[in-house]
Amino acid sequence: MQSQKKIEVARQLSQLLIRSADLAKSFFASVSESLEVPPHLAMAILLLEEPAPMGELSQKMARDKSYITQVADQLESLGLLERVPGEDRRTKLLALTSEGKKLRLKLAEVAGNQSPIMTALNEEERALLSNLLSKILG
Amino acid sequence: MQSQKKIEVARQLSQLLIRSADLAKSFFASVSESLEVPPHLAMAILLLEEPAPMGELSQKMARDKSYITQVADQLESLGLLERVPGEDRRTKLLALTSEGKKLRLKLAEVAGNQSPIMTALNEEERALLSNLLSKILG
DNA sequence: TATTGTTATACTCTATAACTATA
DNA sequence: TATAGTTATAGAGTATAACAATA
């Protein structure tokens, strides 16, 4: 393939990728906002199916631990989670309250059923997409 | 498909999508930084193959015009572009200087050849991915 | 000494609102 | 009145650095 053409292919595909991810994000943002939680709090809730140490959430969200402290503070003040003692006394587990769990279910249901990924693609296409993306991620 | 399972599929695929887009972004960021331009300036340069009014760049980058003003200021102070008069006297065209054009070529070459999208997928796979993503974007 | 989490603070990206000049 | 661009400013999201408690 010619060099100039290659550039265009790469650029357009990158743009498609970024726009799709933006769509997924903004879909998730609108779901969260309809449930009156900011998106990053909603994402944390979704990831806390089981109580987990803050460091673990930091990894899963790919955010600094100091930011997780702030997220946890906000969720706590909304009554959606509690910090409970962990194995060793430095560790704190983030555990959803019953209200947090309720919210998690609602969030998961809407996000699972109405996501553009679910509505636009059938099962086979989703599997295909999953493979291609995994390949990119190496 | 069961509801709980569906949720997991949607979440995992969204995560894959977002992580792939993040990879594309951070690849581009590292390319730009190796050429000593911040990524958003680099993206503007890439999009300015031909001189274009600021409003057009605003659309292509999906950013507010006031932000484009700031981007243009920075590129101008780096000697990478000039504002030249457009058709009517309100309009200004953003035109790369010769140094800007040189940089654009380097940028495009590396981004086109070494992008994870290009290295991880073959031509057929890229076409497939492009279709799936277009479907999601509707 | 290394690890978990916290605090205070500052930075980056980007938008909003009010404006100027031109159409 | 509508459009292109500018200015000044503010906000959201996130990180850095120094710290405390525990291991």
PDB file of all heavy atoms in Angstrom, chain A residues 1 6-7 11 13 16 20-21 23 108 113 117-118 125-126 130 133 135-137, chain B residues 1 6-7 11 13 16 20-21 23 47 108 113 117-118 125-126 130 133 135-136:
ATOM      1  N   MET A   1       0.845  -1.199   0.000  1.00  0.00           N
ATOM      2  CA  MET A   1       0.000   0.000   0.000  1.00  0.00           C
ATOM      3  C   MET A   1       0.881   1.250   0.000  1.00  0.00           C
ATOM      4  O   MET A   1       1.948   1.262   0.573  1.00  0.00           O
ATOM      5  CB  MET A   1      -0.869  -0.006   1.261  1.00  0.00           C
ATOM      6  CG  MET A   1      -2.170   0.763   1.079  1.00  0.00           C
ATOM      7  SD  MET A   1      -3.121   0.882   2.590  1.00  0.00           S
ATOM      8  CE  MET A   1      -2.965  -0.747   3.293  1.00  0.00           C
ATOM      9  N   LYS A   6      -1.872   4.757   3.343  1.00  0.00           N
ATOM     10  CA  LYS A   6      -1.747   4.103   4.638  1.00  0.00           C
ATOM     11  C   LYS A   6      -2.074   5.056   5.775  1.00  0.00           C
ATOM     12  O   LYS A   6      -2.771   4.727   6.724  1.00  0.00           O
ATOM     13  CB  LYS A   6      -0.300   3.637   4.800  1.00  0.00           C
ATOM     14  CG  LYS A   6      -0.154   2.177   5.187  1.00  0.00           C
ATOM     15  CD  LYS A   6       1.302   1.817   5.102  1.00  0.00           C
ATOM     16  CE  LYS A   6       1.581   0.454   5.691  1.00  0.00           C
ATOM     17  NZ  LYS A   6       2.982   0.075   5.483  1.00  0.00           N
ATOM     18  N   ILE A   7      -1.513   6.247   5.667  1.00  0.00           N
ATOM     19  CA  ILE A   7      -1.728   7.273   6.667  1.00  0.00           C
ATOM     20  C   ILE A   7      -3.211   7.560   6.837  1.00  0.00           C
ATOM     21  O   ILE A   7      -3.722   7.632   7.946  1.00  0.00           O
ATOM     22  CB  ILE A   7      -1.012   8.576   6.225  1.00  0.00           C
ATOM     23  CG1 ILE A   7       0.489   8.385   6.325  1.00  0.00           C
ATOM     24  CG2 ILE A   7      -1.458   9.757   7.054  1.00  0.00           C
ATOM     25  CD1 ILE A   7       1.276   9.387   5.504  1.00  0.00           C
ATOM     26  N   ARG A  11      -5.480   6.910  10.093  1.00  0.00           N
ATOM     27  CA  ARG A  11      -6.119   8.047  10.741  1.00  0.00           C
ATOM     28  C   ARG A  11      -7.627   7.826  10.841  1.00  0.00           C
ATOM     29  O   ARG A  11      -8.232   8.028  11.886  1.00  0.00           O
ATOM     30  CB  ARG A  11      -5.818   9.340   9.986  1.00  0.00           C
ATOM     31  CG  ARG A  11      -5.989  10.574  10.863  1.00  0.00           C
ATOM     32  CD  ARG A  11      -5.658  11.859  10.138  1.00  0.00           C
ATOM     33  NE  ARG A  11      -6.519  12.106   9.007  1.00  0.00           N
ATOM     34  CZ  ARG A  11      -7.811  12.378   9.100  1.00  0.00           C
ATOM     35  NH1 ARG A  11      -8.399  12.434  10.280  1.00  0.00           N
ATOM     36  NH2 ARG A  11      -8.521  12.595   8.024  1.00  0.00           N
ATOM     37  N   LEU A  13      -9.345   5.042  10.769  1.00  0.00           N
ATOM     38  CA  LEU A  13      -9.712   3.962  11.667  1.00  0.00           C
ATOM     39  C   LEU A  13      -9.521   4.398  13.129  1.00  0.00           C
ATOM     40  O   LEU A  13     -10.354   4.095  13.985  1.00  0.00           O
ATOM     41  CB  LEU A  13      -8.905   2.702  11.337  1.00  0.00           C
ATOM     42  CG  LEU A  13      -9.421   1.368  11.839  1.00  0.00           C
ATOM     43  CD1 LEU A  13     -10.916   1.217  11.637  1.00  0.00           C
ATOM     44  CD2 LEU A  13      -8.701   0.231  11.143  1.00  0.00           C
ATOM     45  N   LEU A  16     -12.479   6.462  13.981  1.00  0.00           N
ATOM     46  CA  LEU A  16     -13.653   5.631  14.217  1.00  0.00           C
ATOM     47  C   LEU A  16     -13.612   5.021  15.609  1.00  0.00           C
ATOM     48  O   LEU A  16     -14.602   4.995  16.338  1.00  0.00           O
ATOM     49  CB  LEU A  16     -13.722   4.488  13.193  1.00  0.00           C
ATOM     50  CG  LEU A  16     -14.313   4.773  11.817  1.00  0.00           C
ATOM     51  CD1 LEU A  16     -14.279   3.506  10.980  1.00  0.00           C
ATOM     52  CD2 LEU A  16     -15.748   5.265  11.959  1.00  0.00           C
ATOM     53  N   SER A  20     -16.171   5.815  18.546  1.00  0.00           N
ATOM     54  CA  SER A  20     -16.988   4.754  19.143  1.00  0.00           C
ATOM     55  C   SER A  20     -16.822   4.724  20.657  1.00  0.00           C
ATOM     56  O   SER A  20     -17.793   4.576  21.403  1.00  0.00           O
ATOM     57  CB  SER A  20     -16.606   3.392  18.584  1.00  0.00           C
ATOM     58  OG  SER A  20     -16.605   3.407  17.185  1.00  0.00           O
ATOM     59  N   ALA A  21     -15.569   4.880  21.084  1.00  0.00           N
ATOM     60  CA  ALA A  21     -15.325   4.879  22.526  1.00  0.00           C
ATOM     61  C   ALA A  21     -16.005   6.081  23.174  1.00  0.00           C
ATOM     62  O   ALA A  21     -16.592   5.974  24.249  1.00  0.00           O
ATOM     63  CB  ALA A  21     -13.832   4.891  22.809  1.00  0.00           C
ATOM     64  N   LEU A  23     -18.664   7.477  22.117  1.00  0.00           N
ATOM     65  CA  LEU A  23     -20.091   7.168  22.156  1.00  0.00           C
ATOM     66  C   LEU A  23     -20.407   6.284  23.361  1.00  0.00           C
ATOM     67  O   LEU A  23     -21.363   6.536  24.098  1.00  0.00           O
ATOM     68  CB  LEU A  23     -20.514   6.470  20.861  1.00  0.00           C
ATOM     69  CG  LEU A  23     -21.997   6.130  20.745  1.00  0.00           C
ATOM     70  CD1 LEU A  23     -22.841   7.388  20.700  1.00  0.00           C
ATOM     71  CD2 LEU A  23     -22.280   5.265  19.520  1.00  0.00           C
ATOM     72  N   ALA A 108     -26.414  -1.316  35.950  1.00  0.00           N
ATOM     73  CA  ALA A 108     -25.957  -2.441  35.152  1.00  0.00           C
ATOM     74  C   ALA A 108     -27.040  -2.871  34.177  1.00  0.00           C
ATOM     75  O   ALA A 108     -26.753  -3.227  33.031  1.00  0.00           O
ATOM     76  CB  ALA A 108     -25.568  -3.596  36.065  1.00  0.00           C
ATOM     77  N   ASN A 113     -28.471  -3.393  28.675  1.00  0.00           N
ATOM     78  CA  ASN A 113     -29.489  -3.621  27.654  1.00  0.00           C
ATOM     79  C   ASN A 113     -29.515  -2.568  26.564  1.00  0.00           C
ATOM     80  O   ASN A 113     -29.849  -2.870  25.428  1.00  0.00           O
ATOM     81  CB  ASN A 113     -30.870  -3.683  28.305  1.00  0.00           C
ATOM     82  CG  ASN A 113     -31.039  -4.949  29.118  1.00  0.00           C
ATOM     83  OD1 ASN A 113     -30.621  -6.015  28.688  1.00  0.00           O
ATOM     84  ND2 ASN A 113     -31.617  -4.827  30.297  1.00  0.00           N
ATOM     85  N   ILE A 117     -23.524  -0.732  21.829  1.00  0.00           N
ATOM     86  CA  ILE A 117     -22.841  -1.972  21.471  1.00  0.00           C
ATOM     87  C   ILE A 117     -23.827  -3.135  21.414  1.00  0.00           C
ATOM     88  O   ILE A 117     -23.742  -4.004  20.540  1.00  0.00           O
ATOM     89  CB  ILE A 117     -21.730  -2.276  22.494  1.00  0.00           C
ATOM     90  CG1 ILE A 117     -20.587  -1.288  22.302  1.00  0.00           C
ATOM     91  CG2 ILE A 117     -21.234  -3.703  22.364  1.00  0.00           C
ATOM     92  CD1 ILE A 117     -19.513  -1.403  23.347  1.00  0.00           C
ATOM     93  N   MET A 118     -24.773  -3.127  22.344  1.00  0.00           N
ATOM     94  CA  MET A 118     -25.736  -4.219  22.390  1.00  0.00           C
ATOM     95  C   MET A 118     -26.839  -4.042  21.349  1.00  0.00           C
ATOM     96  O   MET A 118     -27.313  -5.013  20.772  1.00  0.00           O
ATOM     97  CB  MET A 118     -26.372  -4.305  23.782  1.00  0.00           C
ATOM     98  CG  MET A 118     -25.395  -4.575  24.904  1.00  0.00           C
ATOM     99  SD  MET A 118     -24.381  -6.055  24.665  1.00  0.00           S
ATOM    100  CE  MET A 118     -25.490  -7.339  25.256  1.00  0.00           C
ATOM    101  N   GLU A 125     -21.399 -10.541  15.841  1.00  0.00           N
ATOM    102  CA  GLU A 125     -20.617  -9.337  15.567  1.00  0.00           C
ATOM    103  C   GLU A 125     -19.863  -8.867  16.819  1.00  0.00           C
ATOM    104  O   GLU A 125     -18.724  -8.404  16.737  1.00  0.00           O
ATOM    105  CB  GLU A 125     -21.537  -8.218  15.056  1.00  0.00           C
ATOM    106  CG  GLU A 125     -22.087  -8.495  13.674  1.00  0.00           C
ATOM    107  CD  GLU A 125     -23.242  -7.569  13.286  1.00  0.00           C
ATOM    108  OE1 GLU A 125     -24.035  -7.161  14.185  1.00  0.00           O
ATOM    109  OE2 GLU A 125     -23.372  -7.248  12.103  1.00  0.00           O
ATOM    110  N   ARG A 126     -20.507  -9.009  17.944  1.00  0.00           N
ATOM    111  CA  ARG A 126     -19.833  -8.610  19.188  1.00  0.00           C
ATOM    112  C   ARG A 126     -18.612  -9.475  19.448  1.00  0.00           C
ATOM    113  O   ARG A 126     -17.572  -8.996  19.877  1.00  0.00           O
ATOM    114  CB  ARG A 126     -20.804  -8.687  20.371  1.00  0.00           C
ATOM    115  CG  ARG A 126     -21.838  -7.588  20.360  1.00  0.00           C
ATOM    116  CD  ARG A 126     -22.544  -7.461  21.697  1.00  0.00           C
ATOM    117  NE  ARG A 126     -23.314  -8.646  22.046  1.00  0.00           N
ATOM    118  CZ  ARG A 126     -24.617  -8.794  21.796  1.00  0.00           C
ATOM    119  NH1 ARG A 126     -25.299  -7.840  21.190  1.00  0.00           N
ATOM    120  NH2 ARG A 126     -25.245  -9.887  22.155  1.00  0.00           N
ATOM    121  N   SER A 130     -14.860  -8.099  19.619  1.00  0.00           N
ATOM    122  CA  SER A 130     -14.062  -8.407  20.794  1.00  0.00           C
ATOM    123  C   SER A 130     -12.703  -8.979  20.402  1.00  0.00           C
ATOM    124  O   SER A 130     -11.659  -8.596  20.943  1.00  0.00           O
ATOM    125  CB  SER A 130     -14.846  -9.376  21.676  1.00  0.00           C
ATOM    126  OG  SER A 130     -14.065  -9.780  22.759  1.00  0.00           O
ATOM    127  N   LEU A 133     -10.472  -6.176  18.760  1.00  0.00           N
ATOM    128  CA  LEU A 133      -9.963  -5.221  19.748  1.00  0.00           C
ATOM    129  C   LEU A 133      -8.899  -5.869  20.639  1.00  0.00           C
ATOM    130  O   LEU A 133      -7.887  -5.247  20.958  1.00  0.00           O
ATOM    131  CB  LEU A 133     -11.107  -4.669  20.599  1.00  0.00           C
ATOM    132  CG  LEU A 133     -12.142  -3.813  19.854  1.00  0.00           C
ATOM    133  CD1 LEU A 133     -13.259  -3.371  20.787  1.00  0.00           C
ATOM    134  CD2 LEU A 133     -11.490  -2.600  19.202  1.00  0.00           C
ATOM    135  N   LYS A 135      -6.899  -8.113  19.787  1.00  0.00           N
ATOM    136  CA  LYS A 135      -5.701  -8.186  18.962  1.00  0.00           C
ATOM    137  C   LYS A 135      -4.947  -6.857  19.019  1.00  0.00           C
ATOM    138  O   LYS A 135      -3.713  -6.831  19.121  1.00  0.00           O
ATOM    139  CB  LYS A 135      -6.100  -8.501  17.521  1.00  0.00           C
ATOM    140  CG  LYS A 135      -5.187  -9.489  16.848  1.00  0.00           C
ATOM    141  CD  LYS A 135      -5.841 -10.063  15.613  1.00  0.00           C
ATOM    142  CE  LYS A 135      -4.919 -11.061  14.948  1.00  0.00           C
ATOM    143  NZ  LYS A 135      -5.575 -11.747  13.823  1.00  0.00           N
ATOM    144  N   ILE A 136      -5.684  -5.771  18.915  1.00  0.00           N
ATOM    145  CA  ILE A 136      -5.050  -4.447  18.975  1.00  0.00           C
ATOM    146  C   ILE A 136      -4.384  -4.233  20.324  1.00  0.00           C
ATOM    147  O   ILE A 136      -3.282  -3.696  20.416  1.00  0.00           O
ATOM    148  CB  ILE A 136      -6.089  -3.327  18.732  1.00  0.00           C
ATOM    149  CG1 ILE A 136      -6.553  -3.362  17.283  1.00  0.00           C
ATOM    150  CG2 ILE A 136      -5.504  -1.961  19.066  1.00  0.00           C
ATOM    151  CD1 ILE A 136      -7.624  -2.347  16.973  1.00  0.00           C
ATOM    152  N   LEU A 137      -5.062  -4.692  21.362  1.00  0.00           N
ATOM    153  CA  LEU A 137      -4.523  -4.477  22.702  1.00  0.00           C
ATOM    154  C   LEU A 137      -3.333  -5.389  22.985  1.00  0.00           C
ATOM    155  O   LEU A 137      -2.602  -5.193  23.944  1.00  0.00           O
ATOM    156  CB  LEU A 137      -5.623  -4.674  23.750  1.00  0.00           C
ATOM    157  CG  LEU A 137      -6.671  -3.562  23.753  1.00  0.00           C
ATOM    158  CD1 LEU A 137      -7.875  -3.930  24.599  1.00  0.00           C
ATOM    159  CD2 LEU A 137      -6.069  -2.245  24.236  1.00  0.00           C
TER     160      LEU A 137
ATOM    161  N   MET B   1     -30.260 -14.551  25.979  1.00  0.00           N
ATOM    162  CA  MET B   1     -29.136 -14.448  26.929  1.00  0.00           C
ATOM    163  C   MET B   1     -29.656 -13.957  28.272  1.00  0.00           C
ATOM    164  O   MET B   1     -30.567 -13.153  28.347  1.00  0.00           O
ATOM    165  CB  MET B   1     -28.099 -13.465  26.374  1.00  0.00           C
ATOM    166  CG  MET B   1     -26.696 -13.759  26.876  1.00  0.00           C
ATOM    167  SD  MET B   1     -25.512 -12.521  26.332  1.00  0.00           S
ATOM    168  CE  MET B   1     -25.955 -12.326  24.599  1.00  0.00           C
ATOM    169  N   LYS B   6     -25.580 -10.632  30.021  1.00  0.00           N
ATOM    170  CA  LYS B   6     -25.638  -9.549  29.060  1.00  0.00           C
ATOM    171  C   LYS B   6     -24.872  -8.333  29.572  1.00  0.00           C
ATOM    172  O   LYS B   6     -24.113  -7.694  28.841  1.00  0.00           O
ATOM    173  CB  LYS B   6     -27.097  -9.143  28.867  1.00  0.00           C
ATOM    174  CG  LYS B   6     -27.555  -9.109  27.430  1.00  0.00           C
ATOM    175  CD  LYS B   6     -29.041  -8.871  27.412  1.00  0.00           C
ATOM    176  CE  LYS B   6     -29.561  -8.600  26.015  1.00  0.00           C
ATOM    177  NZ  LYS B   6     -31.034  -8.517  26.027  1.00  0.00           N
ATOM    178  N   ILE B   7     -25.122  -7.998  30.814  1.00  0.00           N
ATOM    179  CA  ILE B   7     -24.458  -6.871  31.458  1.00  0.00           C
ATOM    180  C   ILE B   7     -22.950  -7.020  31.380  1.00  0.00           C
ATOM    181  O   ILE B   7     -22.231  -6.084  31.033  1.00  0.00           O
ATOM    182  CB  ILE B   7     -24.890  -6.797  32.937  1.00  0.00           C
ATOM    183  CG1 ILE B   7     -26.347  -6.384  33.032  1.00  0.00           C
ATOM    184  CG2 ILE B   7     -23.994  -5.830  33.716  1.00  0.00           C
ATOM    185  CD1 ILE B   7     -26.977  -6.715  34.360  1.00  0.00           C
ATOM    186  N   ARG B  11     -20.372  -4.657  29.378  1.00  0.00           N
ATOM    187  CA  ARG B  11     -19.348  -3.935  30.124  1.00  0.00           C
ATOM    188  C   ARG B  11     -17.959  -4.263  29.592  1.00  0.00           C
ATOM    189  O   ARG B  11     -17.140  -3.384  29.362  1.00  0.00           O
ATOM    190  CB  ARG B  11     -19.437  -4.255  31.619  1.00  0.00           C
ATOM    191  CG  ARG B  11     -18.790  -3.187  32.495  1.00  0.00           C
ATOM    192  CD  ARG B  11     -18.917  -3.492  33.953  1.00  0.00           C
ATOM    193  NE  ARG B  11     -18.239  -4.704  34.336  1.00  0.00           N
ATOM    194  CZ  ARG B  11     -16.916  -4.862  34.310  1.00  0.00           C
ATOM    195  NH1 ARG B  11     -16.148  -3.883  33.937  1.00  0.00           N
ATOM    196  NH2 ARG B  11     -16.378  -6.007  34.672  1.00  0.00           N
ATOM    197  N   LEU B  13     -17.092  -5.417  26.670  1.00  0.00           N
ATOM    198  CA  LEU B  13     -16.851  -4.917  25.325  1.00  0.00           C
ATOM    199  C   LEU B  13     -16.647  -3.393  25.345  1.00  0.00           C
ATOM    200  O   LEU B  13     -15.775  -2.869  24.644  1.00  0.00           O
ATOM    201  CB  LEU B  13     -18.005  -5.322  24.406  1.00  0.00           C
ATOM    202  CG  LEU B  13     -17.756  -5.325  22.905  1.00  0.00           C
ATOM    203  CD1 LEU B  13     -16.420  -5.918  22.535  1.00  0.00           C
ATOM    204  CD2 LEU B  13     -18.869  -6.066  22.180  1.00  0.00           C
ATOM    205  N   LEU B  16     -13.166  -2.845  26.464  1.00  0.00           N
ATOM    206  CA  LEU B  16     -12.217  -3.127  25.376  1.00  0.00           C
ATOM    207  C   LEU B  16     -12.153  -1.954  24.407  1.00  0.00           C
ATOM    208  O   LEU B  16     -11.083  -1.529  23.978  1.00  0.00           O
ATOM    209  CB  LEU B  16     -12.641  -4.368  24.597  1.00  0.00           C
ATOM    210  CG  LEU B  16     -12.263  -5.734  25.145  1.00  0.00           C
ATOM    211  CD1 LEU B  16     -12.785  -6.832  24.221  1.00  0.00           C
ATOM    212  CD2 LEU B  16     -10.746  -5.862  25.279  1.00  0.00           C
ATOM    213  N   SER B  20      -8.977   0.337  23.816  1.00  0.00           N
ATOM    214  CA  SER B  20      -8.355   0.429  22.490  1.00  0.00           C
ATOM    215  C   SER B  20      -8.232   1.881  22.047  1.00  0.00           C
ATOM    216  O   SER B  20      -7.208   2.287  21.492  1.00  0.00           O
ATOM    217  CB  SER B  20      -9.176  -0.332  21.449  1.00  0.00           C
ATOM    218  OG  SER B  20      -9.431  -1.642  21.875  1.00  0.00           O
ATOM    219  N   ALA B  21      -9.281   2.646  22.291  1.00  0.00           N
ATOM    220  CA  ALA B  21      -9.240   4.064  21.927  1.00  0.00           C
ATOM    221  C   ALA B  21      -8.164   4.780  22.745  1.00  0.00           C
ATOM    222  O   ALA B  21      -7.419   5.610  22.211  1.00  0.00           O
ATOM    223  CB  ALA B  21     -10.598   4.709  22.152  1.00  0.00           C
ATOM    224  N   LEU B  23      -5.517   3.426  23.861  1.00  0.00           N
ATOM    225  CA  LEU B  23      -4.226   3.018  23.291  1.00  0.00           C
ATOM    226  C   LEU B  23      -3.901   3.853  22.049  1.00  0.00           C
ATOM    227  O   LEU B  23      -2.779   4.351  21.892  1.00  0.00           O
ATOM    228  CB  LEU B  23      -4.254   1.527  22.931  1.00  0.00           C
ATOM    229  CG  LEU B  23      -2.953   0.965  22.360  1.00  0.00           C
ATOM    230  CD1 LEU B  23      -1.849   0.989  23.411  1.00  0.00           C
ATOM    231  CD2 LEU B  23      -3.150  -0.457  21.844  1.00  0.00           C
ATOM    232  N   LEU B  47      -4.741  17.577  10.649  1.00  0.00           N
ATOM    233  CA  LEU B  47      -6.001  17.870   9.956  1.00  0.00           C
ATOM    234  C   LEU B  47      -5.880  19.027   8.986  1.00  0.00           C
ATOM    235  O   LEU B  47      -6.751  19.247   8.147  1.00  0.00           O
ATOM    236  CB  LEU B  47      -7.103  18.154  10.986  1.00  0.00           C
ATOM    237  CG  LEU B  47      -7.539  16.950  11.829  1.00  0.00           C
ATOM    238  CD1 LEU B  47      -8.449  17.378  12.966  1.00  0.00           C
ATOM    239  CD2 LEU B  47      -8.234  15.903  10.960  1.00  0.00           C
ATOM    240  N   ALA B 108       2.632  12.205  10.194  1.00  0.00           N
ATOM    241  CA  ALA B 108       1.760  11.326   9.438  1.00  0.00           C
ATOM    242  C   ALA B 108       2.470  10.011   9.134  1.00  0.00           C
ATOM    243  O   ALA B 108       1.863   8.943   9.178  1.00  0.00           O
ATOM    244  CB  ALA B 108       1.319  12.004   8.149  1.00  0.00           C
ATOM    245  N   ASN B 113       2.453   4.364   9.977  1.00  0.00           N
ATOM    246  CA  ASN B 113       3.140   3.082   9.879  1.00  0.00           C
ATOM    247  C   ASN B 113       3.194   2.298  11.177  1.00  0.00           C
ATOM    248  O   ASN B 113       3.194   1.080  11.161  1.00  0.00           O
ATOM    249  CB  ASN B 113       4.575   3.289   9.374  1.00  0.00           C
ATOM    250  CG  ASN B 113       4.591   3.696   7.921  1.00  0.00           C
ATOM    251  OD1 ASN B 113       3.849   3.152   7.118  1.00  0.00           O
ATOM    252  ND2 ASN B 113       5.426   4.667   7.584  1.00  0.00           N
ATOM    253  N   ILE B 117      -3.012  -0.058  15.343  1.00  0.00           N
ATOM    254  CA  ILE B 117      -4.043  -0.507  14.412  1.00  0.00           C
ATOM    255  C   ILE B 117      -3.417  -1.088  13.144  1.00  0.00           C
ATOM    256  O   ILE B 117      -3.895  -2.076  12.591  1.00  0.00           O
ATOM    257  CB  ILE B 117      -4.957   0.686  14.038  1.00  0.00           C
ATOM    258  CG1 ILE B 117      -5.839   1.035  15.232  1.00  0.00           C
ATOM    259  CG2 ILE B 117      -5.809   0.360  12.819  1.00  0.00           C
ATOM    260  CD1 ILE B 117      -6.678   2.263  15.026  1.00  0.00           C
ATOM    261  N   MET B 118      -2.340  -0.469  12.717  1.00  0.00           N
ATOM    262  CA  MET B 118      -1.690  -0.937  11.500  1.00  0.00           C
ATOM    263  C   MET B 118      -0.820  -2.157  11.763  1.00  0.00           C
ATOM    264  O   MET B 118      -0.728  -3.060  10.926  1.00  0.00           O
ATOM    265  CB  MET B 118      -0.835   0.173  10.886  1.00  0.00           C
ATOM    266  CG  MET B 118      -1.608   1.416  10.503  1.00  0.00           C
ATOM    267  SD  MET B 118      -2.997   1.101   9.383  1.00  0.00           S
ATOM    268  CE  MET B 118      -2.147   1.082   7.800  1.00  0.00           C
ATOM    269  N   GLU B 125      -8.726  -7.418   8.257  1.00  0.00           N
ATOM    270  CA  GLU B 125      -9.217  -7.197   9.620  1.00  0.00           C
ATOM    271  C   GLU B 125      -9.573  -5.732   9.854  1.00  0.00           C
ATOM    272  O   GLU B 125     -10.548  -5.407  10.532  1.00  0.00           O
ATOM    273  CB  GLU B 125      -8.158  -7.650  10.638  1.00  0.00           C
ATOM    274  CG  GLU B 125      -7.982  -9.157  10.663  1.00  0.00           C
ATOM    275  CD  GLU B 125      -6.729  -9.598  11.429  1.00  0.00           C
ATOM    276  OE1 GLU B 125      -5.718  -8.861  11.412  1.00  0.00           O
ATOM    277  OE2 GLU B 125      -6.772 -10.680  12.022  1.00  0.00           O
ATOM    278  N   ARG B 126      -8.771  -4.867   9.264  1.00  0.00           N
ATOM    279  CA  ARG B 126      -9.065  -3.439   9.412  1.00  0.00           C
ATOM    280  C   ARG B 126     -10.392  -3.083   8.762  1.00  0.00           C
ATOM    281  O   ARG B 126     -11.168  -2.288   9.293  1.00  0.00           O
ATOM    282  CB  ARG B 126      -7.937  -2.601   8.806  1.00  0.00           C
ATOM    283  CG  ARG B 126      -6.676  -2.603   9.668  1.00  0.00           C
ATOM    284  CD  ARG B 126      -5.717  -1.509   9.270  1.00  0.00           C
ATOM    285  NE  ARG B 126      -5.205  -1.655   7.910  1.00  0.00           N
ATOM    286  CZ  ARG B 126      -4.059  -2.263   7.588  1.00  0.00           C
ATOM    287  NH1 ARG B 126      -3.286  -2.769   8.531  1.00  0.00           N
ATOM    288  NH2 ARG B 126      -3.684  -2.336   6.341  1.00  0.00           N
ATOM    289  N   SER B 130     -13.565  -1.641  10.733  1.00  0.00           N
ATOM    290  CA  SER B 130     -14.163  -0.400  10.261  1.00  0.00           C
ATOM    291  C   SER B 130     -15.682  -0.557  10.099  1.00  0.00           C
ATOM    292  O   SER B 130     -16.460   0.309  10.508  1.00  0.00           O
ATOM    293  CB  SER B 130     -13.501  -0.005   8.941  1.00  0.00           C
ATOM    294  OG  SER B 130     -14.113   1.125   8.405  1.00  0.00           O
ATOM    295  N   LEU B 133     -17.398  -0.846  13.633  1.00  0.00           N
ATOM    296  CA  LEU B 133     -17.446   0.434  14.339  1.00  0.00           C
ATOM    297  C   LEU B 133     -18.448   1.380  13.680  1.00  0.00           C
ATOM    298  O   LEU B 133     -19.189   2.094  14.369  1.00  0.00           O
ATOM    299  CB  LEU B 133     -16.051   1.068  14.390  1.00  0.00           C
ATOM    300  CG  LEU B 133     -15.008   0.307  15.207  1.00  0.00           C
ATOM    301  CD1 LEU B 133     -13.661   1.005  15.139  1.00  0.00           C
ATOM    302  CD2 LEU B 133     -15.439   0.135  16.655  1.00  0.00           C
ATOM    303  N   LYS B 135     -21.086   0.557  12.213  1.00  0.00           N
ATOM    304  CA  LYS B 135     -22.403   0.079  12.632  1.00  0.00           C
ATOM    305  C   LYS B 135     -22.769   0.633  14.007  1.00  0.00           C
ATOM    306  O   LYS B 135     -23.899   1.061  14.248  1.00  0.00           O
ATOM    307  CB  LYS B 135     -22.382  -1.453  12.667  1.00  0.00           C
ATOM    308  CG  LYS B 135     -23.642  -2.089  12.140  1.00  0.00           C
ATOM    309  CD  LYS B 135     -23.417  -3.539  11.813  1.00  0.00           C
ATOM    310  CE  LYS B 135     -24.675  -4.178  11.253  1.00  0.00           C
ATOM    311  NZ  LYS B 135     -24.434  -5.557  10.811  1.00  0.00           N
ATOM    312  N   ILE B 136     -21.803   0.610  14.906  1.00  0.00           N
ATOM    313  CA  ILE B 136     -22.053   1.134  16.254  1.00  0.00           C
ATOM    314  C   ILE B 136     -22.371   2.615  16.198  1.00  0.00           C
ATOM    315  O   ILE B 136     -23.258   3.117  16.884  1.00  0.00           O
ATOM    316  CB  ILE B 136     -20.826   0.906  17.167  1.00  0.00           C
ATOM    317  CG1 ILE B 136     -20.678  -0.584  17.459  1.00  0.00           C
ATOM    318  CG2 ILE B 136     -20.962   1.685  18.471  1.00  0.00           C
ATOM    319  CD1 ILE B 136     -19.467  -0.921  18.302  1.00  0.00           C
TER     320      ILE B 136
END
